[in-house]
Amino acid sequence: MRKTQIFSSFFLKIFAIVFMTLDHVGLLLKWLYPTSYDINIIHNILRGFGRIALPLFIFMIVEGVLHTKSIKKYMLRLGIIALIISIGILVITKVNISADISSIKGMGNIFLDLLLTALTIYLLKQPNNYKKLFILLPIAISIISFCIKCYETETHNLVYWYPYWLYMQYDWYSILLGVGFFYSYKLADSYLSHYSNQSGIEVSVLEENGIKRGATNIIGVLLMIGASLLLYAFAYIWPKGIYWDASAQFTAIFSGAFLLFYSGKRGYNAKWFKYFSYTYYPLSLIIIFIIYICIGG
């Protein structure tokens, strides 16, 4: 089992960054050539690949919350990047640009997804049930953000009472993914305990052989697929209001091809790479925005 667990956290982050970059390139091409049929095909392909990134990033967020030495510093880093992106969205919406690129405001802030998912997992870890009640806050924000964006898409009316900086990008889907990955550990523990009782093999031996890690990966992938199918189903429940391309979003399930081979190890973790992985998203958006202004703006 250990032989198949070849991807550390470092490699999962690299895969996520690559797929995210493909997504941003597709977005830029669509902005530059909005009426081109061939570019539209390329755009759809690239954005389809881009959907694979989110489950990988959410998985890494769960791993980060579970293993970080300082949850306060971890949440602070996510919060700072989320704030920077919100300020960037505000600047973009104040600049005289085309309608296509100004729609970035309605796309939401992906780091708000990551921050609220991290907060949810942190609260789920708390032994005090009273503290766990605060999980209702990130869940409420994710549902409200989703419903408002769907309403705006269907009616073409803007909701002014809800602050734009609380617009998540994937809303409840992000948090549901995080909760699924978190509980995959608990379900794997239950499975190993049952297997140990039935086989007489010590749990410690199963862990050393990589069976626990493998069980956690499989359960996590199955829960991820379930969450993705649920999101996909909303395209048919609310076809006029849904604000994303359901056919492209469906490709998120292929992130399982990488998660199944996760080793549970951190891998390369130099300080420069840690901060690079946090800042790459806003920097890449700034770069494509500058390219758009220089070429097509």
Side-chain angles (χ1 to χ4, degrees), residues 97-139:
I97 52 179
S98 74
D100 285 334
I101 197 170
S102 63
S103 65
I104 195 172
K105 176 181 177 181
M107 290 167 55
N109 185 342
I110 187 61
F111 262 82
L112 183 59
D113 292 59
L114 302 182
L115 176 62
L116 293 180
T117 299
L119 176 60
T120 300
I121 303 307
Y122 168 73
L123 293 172
L124 284 175
K125 286 179 56 183
Q126 301 307 303
N128 189 321
N129 289 328
Y130 174 75
K131 289 184 178 180
K132 287 183 179 179
L133 288 176
F134 286 98
I135 197 176
L136 295 175
L137 177 61
I139 291 176

Coordinates of all heavy atoms in Angstrom, one line a residue, residues 97-139:
I97 N -13.4 49.3 -17.0 CA -13.0 48.2 -17.8 C -14.3 47.5 -18.4 O -15.4 48.0 -18.2 CB -12.3 47.1 -17.0 CG1 -13.1 46.8 -15.7 CG2 -10.9 47.7 -16.6 CD1 -12.4 45.8 -14.9
S98 N -14.1 46.5 -19.2 CA -15.2 45.9 -19.9 C -16.1 45.1 -18.9 O -15.7 44.8 -17.8 CB -14.7 44.9 -21.0 OG -14.1 43.8 -20.4
A99 N -17.3 44.8 -19.4 CA -18.2 44.1 -18.6 C -17.7 42.7 -18.2 O -18.0 42.1 -17.2 CB -19.6 44.0 -19.3
D100 N -17.0 42.1 -19.2 CA -16.5 40.7 -19.0 C -15.6 40.6 -17.7 O -15.7 39.8 -16.9 CB -15.7 40.2 -20.2 CG -16.6 39.9 -21.3 OD1 -17.8 39.5 -21.1 OD2 -16.2 39.9 -22.5
I101 N -14.6 41.5 -17.7 CA -13.6 41.4 -16.6 C -14.2 42.0 -15.3 O -13.8 41.6 -14.2 CB -12.3 42.2 -16.9 CG1 -11.2 41.7 -16.0 CG2 -12.5 43.6 -16.9 CD1 -9.8 42.2 -16.4
S102 N -15.2 42.9 -15.4 CA -15.8 43.4 -14.2 C -16.6 42.3 -13.5 O -16.9 42.5 -12.3 CB -16.7 44.6 -14.5 OG -17.7 44.2 -15.3
S103 N -16.9 41.2 -14.1 CA -17.7 40.2 -13.5 C -16.9 39.4 -12.5 O -17.4 38.6 -11.8 CB -18.1 39.2 -14.6 OG -17.0 38.5 -15.2
I104 N -15.6 39.8 -12.4 CA -14.7 39.1 -11.3 C -15.3 39.4 -9.9 O -15.1 38.6 -9.0 CB -13.3 39.7 -11.5 CG1 -12.3 38.8 -10.7 CG2 -13.2 41.1 -11.0 CD1 -10.9 39.1 -10.9
K105 N -16.0 40.5 -9.8 CA -16.6 40.8 -8.5 C -17.6 39.7 -8.1 O -17.7 39.3 -7.0 CB -17.3 42.2 -8.6 CG -18.1 42.5 -7.3 CD -18.8 43.9 -7.4 CE -19.6 44.2 -6.2 NZ -20.3 45.5 -6.3
G106 N -18.4 39.3 -9.1 CA -19.4 38.3 -8.8 C -18.9 36.9 -8.6 O -19.5 36.0 -8.1
M107 N -17.6 36.7 -9.0 CA -17.0 35.4 -8.9 C -16.7 35.0 -7.4 O -16.6 33.9 -7.1 CB -15.6 35.3 -9.7 CG -15.8 35.4 -11.2 SD -14.3 35.7 -12.1 CE -13.2 34.4 -11.4
G108 N -16.5 36.0 -6.6 CA -16.2 35.8 -5.2 C -14.7 35.7 -4.9 O -13.9 35.7 -5.8
N109 N -14.4 35.6 -3.6 CA -13.1 35.5 -3.1 C -12.7 34.1 -2.7 O -13.2 33.7 -1.6 CB -13.0 36.5 -1.9 CG -11.6 36.7 -1.4 OD1 -10.7 35.8 -1.6 ND2 -11.3 37.7 -0.6
I110 N -11.9 33.4 -3.4 CA -11.6 32.0 -3.1 C -10.9 31.9 -1.8 O -11.0 30.9 -1.1 CB -10.7 31.4 -4.2 CG1 -10.5 29.9 -4.0 CG2 -9.3 32.2 -4.3 CD1 -11.7 29.1 -4.0
F111 N -10.1 32.9 -1.3 CA -9.4 32.8 0.0 C -10.4 32.9 1.1 O -10.1 32.5 2.2 CB -8.3 33.8 0.1 CG -7.0 33.2 -0.2 CD1 -6.6 33.1 -1.5 CD2 -6.1 32.8 0.8 CE1 -5.3 32.5 -1.9 CE2 -4.9 32.2 0.5 CZ -4.5 32.0 -0.8
L112 N -11.6 33.5 0.8 CA -12.6 33.5 1.9 C -13.2 32.1 2.0 O -13.5 31.7 3.1 CB -13.8 34.5 1.5 CG -14.9 34.6 2.5 CD1 -14.4 35.1 3.8 CD2 -16.0 35.6 1.9
D113 N -13.3 31.4 0.9 CA -13.6 29.9 1.0 C -12.6 29.2 1.8 O -13.0 28.4 2.7 CB -13.6 29.3 -0.4 CG -14.7 29.8 -1.3 OD1 -14.8 31.0 -1.6 OD2 -15.6 29.0 -1.8
L114 N -11.3 29.4 1.6 CA -10.3 28.7 2.3 C -10.3 29.1 3.8 O -10.2 28.2 4.7 CB -8.9 29.0 1.7 CG -8.8 28.6 0.2 CD1 -7.3 28.9 -0.2 CD2 -9.1 27.2 -0.1
L115 N -10.5 30.3 4.1 CA -10.5 30.8 5.5 C -11.7 30.2 6.2 O -11.5 29.7 7.3 CB -10.6 32.3 5.5 CG -10.7 33.0 6.9 CD1 -9.5 32.7 7.7 CD2 -10.9 34.5 6.7
L116 N -12.9 30.3 5.6 CA -14.1 29.8 6.3 C -14.1 28.3 6.4 O -14.6 27.7 7.4 CB -15.3 30.3 5.6 CG -15.6 31.8 5.7 CD1 -16.9 32.1 4.9 CD2 -15.7 32.2 7.1
T117 N -13.5 27.6 5.5 CA -13.3 26.1 5.6 C -12.4 25.8 6.7 O -12.6 24.9 7.5 CB -12.8 25.6 4.3 OG1 -13.7 25.8 3.2 CG2 -12.6 24.0 4.4
A118 N -11.3 26.5 6.8 CA -10.3 26.3 7.9 C -11.0 26.5 9.2 O -10.8 25.8 10.2 CB -9.1 27.2 7.7
L119 N -11.8 27.6 9.3 CA -12.5 27.9 10.6 C -13.5 26.8 10.9 O -13.6 26.4 12.1 CB -13.2 29.2 10.4 CG -14.1 29.7 11.6 CD1 -13.3 29.8 12.9 CD2 -14.9 30.9 11.3
T120 N -14.2 26.3 9.9 CA -15.1 25.2 10.1 C -14.4 23.9 10.7 O -14.9 23.3 11.7 CB -15.8 24.8 8.8 OG1 -16.5 26.0 8.3 CG2 -16.8 23.7 9.0
I121 N -13.3 23.6 10.1 CA -12.6 22.4 10.5 C -12.0 22.6 11.9 O -12.1 21.7 12.8 CB -11.4 22.0 9.6 CG1 -12.0 21.8 8.2 CG2 -10.7 20.8 10.0 CD1 -13.1 20.8 8.1
Y122 N -11.5 23.8 12.2 CA -11.0 24.1 13.6 C -12.1 23.9 14.6 O -11.9 23.4 15.7 CB -10.5 25.5 13.6 CG -10.2 26.0 15.0 CD1 -9.1 25.6 15.7 CD2 -11.0 27.0 15.6 CE1 -8.8 26.0 17.0 CE2 -10.8 27.5 16.8 CZ -9.7 27.0 17.6 OH -9.4 27.4 18.8
L123 N -13.3 24.4 14.3 CA -14.4 24.3 15.2 C -14.9 22.9 15.4 O -15.3 22.5 16.5 CB -15.6 25.2 14.7 CG -15.4 26.7 14.8 CD1 -16.5 27.5 14.1 CD2 -15.2 27.2 16.2
L124 N -14.8 22.1 14.3 CA -15.2 20.7 14.4 C -14.3 19.9 15.3 O -14.6 18.9 15.9 CB -15.2 20.0 13.0 CG -16.4 20.4 12.1 CD1 -16.2 19.7 10.8 CD2 -17.7 19.9 12.8
K125 N -13.0 20.4 15.4 CA -12.0 19.7 16.3 C -12.2 20.0 17.7 O -11.7 19.2 18.6 CB -10.6 20.2 15.9 CG -10.1 19.7 14.6 CD -8.7 20.3 14.3 CE -7.7 20.0 15.5 NZ -6.4 20.6 15.3
Q126 N -13.0 21.0 18.1 CA -13.1 21.4 19.5 C -13.9 20.4 20.3 O -14.9 19.9 19.8 CB -13.8 22.8 19.6 CG -13.1 23.9 18.9 CD -11.7 24.0 19.3 OE1 -11.3 24.2 20.4 NE2 -10.8 23.9 18.3
P127 N -13.4 20.0 21.4 CA -14.1 19.0 22.3 C -15.3 19.6 22.9 O -16.2 18.9 23.3 CB -13.0 18.7 23.3 CG -12.1 19.9 23.4 CD -12.1 20.4 22.0
N128 N -15.3 20.9 23.1 CA -16.5 21.6 23.7 C -17.6 21.8 22.7 O -17.4 22.5 21.7 CB -16.0 23.0 24.2 CG -17.1 23.6 25.1 OD1 -18.3 23.6 24.8 ND2 -16.7 24.3 26.2
N129 N -18.8 21.2 22.9 CA -19.9 21.3 22.0 C -20.4 22.7 21.8 O -21.0 23.1 20.8 CB -21.0 20.3 22.4 CG -20.7 18.9 22.2 OD1 -19.9 18.5 21.3 ND2 -21.2 18.0 23.1
Y130 N -20.3 23.5 22.9 CA -20.7 24.9 22.8 C -19.9 25.6 21.8 O -20.5 26.4 21.0 CB -20.5 25.5 24.2 CG -20.8 27.0 24.2 CD1 -22.2 27.5 24.1 CD2 -19.8 28.0 24.3 CE1 -22.4 28.9 24.1 CE2 -20.1 29.3 24.3 CZ -21.4 29.8 24.2 OH -21.7 31.1 24.2
K131 N -18.6 25.4 21.7 CA -17.8 26.1 20.7 C -18.1 25.6 19.3 O -18.0 26.4 18.4 CB -16.3 25.8 21.0 CG -15.7 26.5 22.2 CD -14.3 26.3 22.4 CE -13.7 27.1 23.6 NZ -12.3 26.8 23.8
K132 N -18.5 24.4 19.2 CA -18.9 23.8 17.9 C -20.1 24.5 17.3 O -20.2 24.5 16.1 CB -19.1 22.3 18.0 CG -17.9 21.5 18.2 CD -18.2 20.0 18.2 CE -17.0 19.2 18.3 NZ -17.2 17.7 18.4
L133 N -20.9 25.1 18.1 CA -22.1 25.8 17.6 C -21.7 27.0 16.7 O -22.5 27.4 15.8 CB -22.9 26.3 18.8 CG -23.7 25.3 19.6 CD1 -24.4 25.9 20.8 CD2 -24.7 24.5 18.7
F134 N -20.5 27.5 16.9 CA -20.0 28.7 16.1 C -19.8 28.3 14.6 O -19.6 29.1 13.8 CB -18.8 29.3 16.7 CG -19.0 30.1 17.9 CD1 -18.8 29.5 19.2 CD2 -19.5 31.4 17.8 CE1 -19.0 30.3 20.3 CE2 -19.7 32.1 19.0 CZ -19.5 31.6 20.2
I135 N -19.9 27.0 14.4 CA -19.7 26.5 13.0 C -20.9 27.0 12.1 O -20.8 27.0 10.9 CB -19.7 24.9 13.0 CG1 -19.1 24.4 11.6 CG2 -21.1 24.3 13.2 CD1 -19.0 22.9 11.6
L136 N -22.0 27.4 12.8 CA -23.2 27.9 12.1 C -22.8 29.2 11.3 O -23.5 29.5 10.3 CB -24.3 28.1 13.0 CG -24.9 26.9 13.7 CD1 -26.0 27.3 14.7 CD2 -25.5 25.9 12.7
L137 N -21.8 29.9 11.8 CA -21.5 31.2 11.2 C -20.9 31.0 9.8 O -21.4 31.6 8.8 CB -20.5 32.0 12.1 CG -20.0 33.3 11.5 CD1 -21.1 34.3 11.2 CD2 -18.9 33.9 12.4
P138 N -19.8 30.2 9.6 CA -19.3 30.0 8.2 C -20.3 29.3 7.3 O -20.3 29.6 6.1 CB -18.0 29.2 8.5 CG -18.2 28.6 9.8 CD -18.9 29.6 10.6
I139 N -21.1 28.4 7.9 CA -22.1 27.7 7.1 C -23.1 28.7 6.6 O -23.5 28.7 5.4 CB -22.7 26.6 7.9 CG1 -21.7 25.4 8.1 CG2 -23.9 26.0 7.2 CD1 -22.2 24.3 9.0

